[in-house]
Amino acid sequence: MDSTWFRRFGAAREGAVRLVCFPHAGGAASAFIPLSRALGEHVDVLAVQYPGRQDRRREEPYRSVDAHADALAEAMGPLTDEPYAFFGHSMGAVLAYETAHRLVAAGRPGPCRVFLSGRGAPSPLPSPHDRLGSDTEILRAVRGLGGTGHAVLDDPELLAMVMPALRADYGALGTYRWSGGAPLAAPVTVLIGDADPVVAVDEAAAWHDHTSGDFDLRILPGGHFYLDDRTDEVRDIITDGLLVAGSTA
């Protein structure tokens, strides 16, 4: 395992299905500590640590979804020899989707299931919620979503540490263009909060067109970061989805 890219918050779980988790814009691997603990010994959770944050804060963050997905696919290559699944939240959903495509195109085994959370299906044009030009617009959007604590946003020193990653991530999303192509063969589960201010249910449901496998849409109470308060429900959705994926593999 490439220790640069992946973090495991607990002991390796022999024989368990591996779940690779992709954080949101501005987020870090530690965002998945609660989910990793909730999944316990049944799933081997690896959280992606993007460049430009936490212990990789001195590295330049990627400013392009395509370049970021290329790097992620290369890092994932050695991990595809055993069954694995993806879980991506918000920007992480885009990166999980694009990384899965690259792995399959390179002749690697694809994920047994892809969980896409808090994100509408890709389209040729970026979402207006991604086209943020200034720090003021970015911070207003981040505060509205609620994913970054006010303790960080209101502290000038902490804010200075997270802004480079936020600028890069929103810049990458604002220039991302879905280029079409074949749908994923893996079954897809989409999760969304019923009060998400930036993703409508019909936008989330449109992921149906991006898989030739089974499709499942789960709507949970909450906003964009519904999973912070619904960890146990998300755990159950993941374990049920992996059980189905394993039985049909």
Side-chain angles (χ1 to χ4, degrees), residues 101-118:
H101 266 296
R102 283 159 171 75
L103 287 167
V104 173
R108 304 296 301 184
C112 65
R113 193 169 198 100
V114 178
F115 299 88
L116 302 170
S117 167

Side-chain angles (χ1 to χ4, degrees), residues 91-191:
M91 181 185 78
V94 176
L95 288 171
Y97 167 79
E98 290 289 349
T99 301
H101 266 296
R102 283 159 171 75
L103 287 167
V104 173
R108 304 296 301 184
C112 65
R113 193 169 198 100
V114 178
F115 299 88
L116 302 170
S117 167
R119 184 77 193 183
S123 66
L125 295 176
S127 164
H129 300 290
D130 296 332
R131 296 198 293 267
L132 305 175
S134 68
D135 286 0
T136 300
E137 291 176 321
I138 292 171
L139 289 173
R140 185 183 301 120
V142 170
R143 286 182 185 277
L145 294 177
T148 303
H150 289 290
V152 173
L153 299 179
D154 294 336
D155 185 310
E157 291 186 8
L158 294 177
L159 184 59
M161 292 176 64
V162 301
M163 278 309 303
L166 282 169
R167 291 187 195 105
D169 291 351
Y170 274 102
L173 288 171
T175 57
Y176 171 61
R177 300 290 188 275
W178 176 61
S179 57
L184 295 174
V188 167
T189 297
V190 172
L191 303 91

Side-chain angles (χ1 to χ4, degrees), residues 93 97 112-122 183-192 199-219 237 240-241 244-245 248:
Y97 167 79
C112 65
R113 193 169 198 100
V114 178
F115 299 88
L116 302 170
S117 167
R119 184 77 193 183
L184 295 174
V188 167
T189 297
V190 172
L191 303 91
I192 185 176
V199 185
V201 171
D202 60 340
E203 293 173 323
W207 280 109
H208 181 275
D209 297 332
H210 294 270
T211 177
S212 60
D214 292 338
F215 179 80
D216 187 19
L217 175 64
R218 300 296 188 97
I219 304 170
I237 291 169
D240 289 348
V244 171
T248 58

Side-chain angles (χ1 to χ4, degrees), residues 194-245:
D194 62 1
D196 193 315
V198 296
V199 185
V201 171
D202 60 340
E203 293 173 323
W207 280 109
H208 181 275
D209 297 332
H210 294 270
T211 177
S212 60
D214 292 338
F215 179 80
D216 187 19
L217 175 64
R218 300 296 188 97
I219 304 170
L220 299 175
H224 191 67
F225 286 94
Y226 70 89
L227 66 170
D228 290 346
D229 299 316
R230 301 286 169 178
T231 302
D232 288 348
E233 292 167 71
V234 174
R235 174 202 61 202
D236 293 344
I237 291 169
I238 289 172
T239 51
D240 289 348
L242 293 180
L243 181 64
V244 171

